[in-house]
Amino acid sequence: EEDERGKKKSHLRERKRDSESSSEEEEEEGSMSESSSSESDSGSEVEESHSEVETKKKRTPPSSKPAPKPQKKGTKEISLLDLDDFTPPPSQPVLSSPVVSTSLVTDLEGLTLTDTTLAPAMISPVFGAVKTYELLHRMTGEGLSVEYHFSRQPFTADSRMVAVQIQISNNTATEVKNIHINEPKLLSGMRIQEFKEIESLPPGETVNVVMGIDFCDSTQAASFQLCTHTRQFYVSIQPPVGELMAPVFMSENEFRKEQGKLTGMSEITEKLTLPEKCQSDHVIVQQVTAAANVSRVPCGSDKEYRFAAKTVSSGSLILITLEKKAGNAAHLTINSEKMLIGTMLVKDIIHSLTQ
């Protein structure tokens, strides 16, 4: 009996273990089913979220930027129209005269503030201000008349020569042939460059030619023969002292420095009285540059006028200072190692300012 009870008890224990194990398996299966169901639920939720995002994407327009306001569009169009409206018209070509006023050029030179010496350059005076001289009268030349003036342009064939513009007119009823220069009579050191022979000058016609003369910083005349195919005429060209020089551009400091080197015997000062019509800057500059081929130098004082030049032949520096005093009085000073030129230049400038 005890054996049977023991068997029953062991059988009951086994059944209990089996039931417990089955219950544990059921619990594990239940938990697995719950986890699978939760995973399926979460998967479905993710799929739903993705589908919602896609639907939202479909509903939203492809461009995330807001559409431009019509007002801004209008403003842009107006600005473009305004730009077109205010476009400057095409510039018209301006014809510049080859001859520049002496006073205008010298006034512009006076604005130079640099201390660097600029390259020397010639100034072309106004044609009306050019003084013309008679070389051959039509009566003496039997109908052939010749005039000349100093052009104040560099003579390209020789920089030490003064350029002389010659105008030859045939006032006869017949043709004049073979016009040329012959047998020049010059002082020691002077040189002449003849113009090319004019083969024919018809009746009533006029021709202009250029010749060069090295006057050697002297106002002595250069004499020569003006010849045609039938006649020879003895003529001469005598330069004013102011035409023996060419303008030089320099600063105020350079002017003072060079002036300090040309004192004593190289300095000439004269007093003069300026007339009422010769009180303005423009008139003073015009009269000085008419008497001499010089360039204006900048000056810090409104009571002083400074000019500079070099002789064409030797390159000797010539400095001119005009200083206004009380009333209409003024002092004119010339600084130059060429004493004769300085003395003659003082007289010519005073005559030009006071005439």
Side-chain angles (χ1 to χ4, degrees), residues 116-131:
T116 304
T117 304
L118 300 177
M122 298 294 184
I123 299 174
S124 300
V126 179
F127 181 75
V130 175
K131 188 173 182 180

Side-chain angles (χ1 to χ4, degrees), residues 155 157-162 189 191 213-216 312-315:
F155 189 66
D158 193 330
S159 60
R160 296 181 61 185
M161 288 186 174
V162 176
R191 298 178 297 125
I213 304 175
D214 182 0
F215 290 99
C216 289
V312 175
S313 182
S314 66

Side-chain angles (χ1 to χ4, degrees), residues 31 42 80 232:
S31 63
S42 61
L80 290 174
Q232 295 85 32

Side-chain angles (χ1 to χ4, degrees), residues 22 60 87 105 111 113 115 118 129 139 143 166 182 196 230 258 269 283 291 304 320 348:
S22 63
T60 56
T87 301
V105 173
L111 300 176
L113 301 178
D115 287 343
L118 300 177
M139 298 298 294
I166 298 178
N182 192 23
K196 187 178 179 180
T230 57
E258 296 297 332
T269 301
V283 175
E304 284 190 18
I320 304 170
D348 285 1

Side-chain angles (χ1 to χ4, degrees), residues 274 279-281 284 303-305 322-326 329-330:
L274 296 173
Q279 294 291 329
S280 67
D281 292 356
I284 290 175
K303 297 295 183 181
E304 284 190 18
Y305 302 87
L322 179 67
E323 184 179 2
K324 283 185 176 181
K325 298 295 183 180

Side-chain angles (χ1 to χ4, degrees), residues 137-200:
H137 191 271
R138 60 181 298 178
M139 298 298 294
T140 307
E142 300 177 357
L144 186 69
S145 62
V146 183
E147 294 180 340
Y148 71 94
H149 69 269
F150 299 92
S151 63
R152 296 189 175 184
Q153 298 292 332
F155 189 66
T156 55
D158 193 330
S159 60
R160 296 181 61 185
M161 288 186 174
V162 176
V164 183
Q165 185 88 23
I166 298 178
Q167 186 179 75
I168 305 173
S169 301
N170 182 6
N171 302 295
T172 67
T174 59
E175 182 183 23
V176 179
K177 300 179 181 180
N178 306 119
I179 304 172
H180 63 281
I181 291 175
N182 192 23
E183 296 185 8
K185 295 181 179 180
L186 308 173
L187 296 179
S188 177
M190 293 176 63
R191 298 178 297 125
I192 190 171
Q193 178 69 50
E194 302 92 347
F195 58 84
K196 187 178 179 180
E197 180 178 325
I198 303 170
E199 295 181 358
S200 175

Side-chain angles (χ1 to χ4, degrees), residues 57-76:
K57 284 184 179 180
K58 292 179 180 178
R59 291 178 182 177
T60 56
S63 175
S64 59
K65 295 182 181 180
K69 295 181 180 180
Q71 186 176 357
K72 291 184 179 179
K73 268 188 177 179
T75 306
K76 187 174 182 181

